[in-house]
Amino acid sequence: PPNPSEPTLCVPSEPVPCVPSVAELRAGRDVCVSQDGGLQAAHAIRAGNSGTAQLRTLGEQAAVQATLHAYDHCPYCNRVEFLLGKLDVPYTRVLYGYGEGADPAEAGGTGYNPGGGPVVLTGKKILPVLVGEGVPAPAGMKGLPESLEICSYVTACVPGGISPATGRGDLDAWSKDFKEVVTPLVRPRIAKMPIQDWADSRDSEYAVWKYSTKFGFDYDKAVAQTAELLPRASALLLKLEPLLRGTDADGAPCLNSWGLSVDDIILLPDLRQLSCVQGVTWPAKVQAYLDSACGKAQCKSYQPTAVP
């Protein structure tokens, strides 16, 4: 018999043309989403968990996991991973070298295997891309791209899901200040993390070319600002604590009093990026916020390998 503590996306051995009613979902009855509804997944409402759904197998069905194609360091990819983790949706993770798929002729001599790597999935060098049974892929593509579209799709497949973004002014103002400080701290250091994204020396070479040429980022200037930026980053994390107004279904801090929302899914990747920087002071509540998200996702904190 299936183990409810090990949720999986699944495909029935025979088509199951059922569309669950709201009453069935709230009653916790095992139901499945029809092919027209996207992923053929079995859902059960977890009692006492704010309506969040848990995916699990039905009977003798063959389990099929969705596959997320991603870069480990990419905040847009991390959005999807944090959502999948928080909703207990299993997935297979496929990572790529950041320079793979870029054409050296168009990238200042950097990059390699043009047309390969992630380009095979959509015809473009973009990630994340979600691939799996029933996942809607645009014409000519092998999976669904764009982080927020993937998050919207996953949420639609999981009864209960998460709340939409609020548009909180206080959070928007904080995020603007945070990114101004964090970008020059993170960009020179993220490529030093021991992850698949930088396994080939050409991966980091491509990243430096991209950000310095296309975005005018000055790596030397950013490094020289470290002593000034570290205390500012620590102060901003302290200011984040009172913005964490709620607790999610896992008992971890979250931004809104009613639980996990898209606000969290957008913010958490920025915090994870900062974790690659040594010398930042993390308030206890903010640390618990990041630890909970990383603990349930396959994208882990960089703090153990942070660099000065």
Side-chain angles (χ1 to χ4, degrees):
N3 182 354
S5 68
E6 298 178 356
T8 59
L9 299 181
C10 58
V11 176
S13 56
E14 297 180 359
V16 185
C18 63
V19 179
S21 66
V22 173
E24 288 173 325
L25 292 174
R26 293 194 179 280
R29 178 194 156 205
D30 289 343
V31 295
C32 59
V33 178
S34 68
Q35 289 184 349
D36 289 339
L39 291 173
Q40 282 193 316
H43 301 291
I45 299 295
R46 288 189 290 179
N49 202 18
S50 303
T52 302
Q54 180 177 7
L55 306 180
R56 61 187 180 89
T57 58
L58 289 177
E60 299 298 322
Q61 297 167 350
V64 177
Q65 288 190 334
T67 298
L68 182 68
H69 298 262
Y71 298 121
D72 184 271
H73 80 285
C74 170
Y76 301 103
C77 299
N78 292 170
R79 289 176 178 178
V80 180
E81 297 209 69
F82 284 135
L83 177 66
L84 292 171
K86 281 292 188 178
L87 293 183
D88 296 316
V89 178
Y91 64 100
T92 298
R93 191 184 198 223
V94 177
L95 299 177
Y96 294 82
Y98 194 56
E100 187 175 15
D103 188 344
E106 300 176 356
T110 67
Y112 57 97
N113 190 21
V119 180
V120 174
L121 299 170
T122 63
K124 301 177 182 180
K125 187 184 174 300
I126 56 172
L127 291 174
V129 175
L130 184 69
V131 177
E133 183 74 23
V135 176
M141 298 186 182
K142 297 182 178 180
L144 180 64
E146 302 297 339
S147 63
L148 290 181
E149 289 189 31
I150 297 172
C151 289
S152 177
Y153 170 69
V154 170
T155 299
C157 291
V158 181
I162 64 171
S163 301
T166 61
R168 280 173 53 181
D170 58 349
L171 185 56
D172 288 343
W174 181 90
S175 296
K176 180 181 178 181
D177 292 341
F178 186 69
K179 288 185 178 181
E180 288 179 358
V181 172
V182 167
T183 298
L185 283 173
V186 167
R187 195 158 284 166
R189 295 168 175 83
I190 196 75
K192 297 180 181 180
M193 295 298 99
I195 54 178
Q196 179 64 33
D197 305 28
W198 321 116
D200 189 303
S201 61
R202 294 172 292 180
D203 295 321
S204 57
E205 291 171 0
Y206 169 76
V208 171
W209 171 84
K210 174 182 174 180
Y211 291 110
S212 60
T213 301
K214 290 190 172 184
F215 299 95
F217 185 78
D218 188 329
Y219 280 82
D220 292 335
K221 179 181 178 181
V223 172
Q225 293 177 312
T226 298
E228 171 199 346
L229 295 173
L230 282 175
R232 290 175 60 188
S234 298
L236 282 165
L237 291 182
L238 195 60
K239 290 182 179 180
L240 177 61
E241 278 203 306
L243 301 185
L244 295 167
R245 300 173 178 173
T247 302
D248 68 16
D250 298 311
C254 63
L255 288 167
N256 297 308
S257 60
W258 48 86
L260 191 72
S261 71
V262 174
D263 291 339
D264 299 289
I265 299 306
I266 291 175
L267 175 58
L268 281 163
D270 293 336
L271 293 177
R272 182 188 180 238
Q273 285 215 317
L274 182 61
S275 73
C276 79
V277 182
Q278 194 177 95
V280 177
T281 300
W282 291 77
K285 192 173 183 180
V286 177
Q287 185 70 65
Y289 181 50
L290 179 63
D291 286 348
S292 175
C294 290
K296 297 202 70 176
Q298 294 187 47
C299 51
K300 304 304 181 183
S301 171
Y302 292 130
Q303 286 174 320
T305 56
V307 295

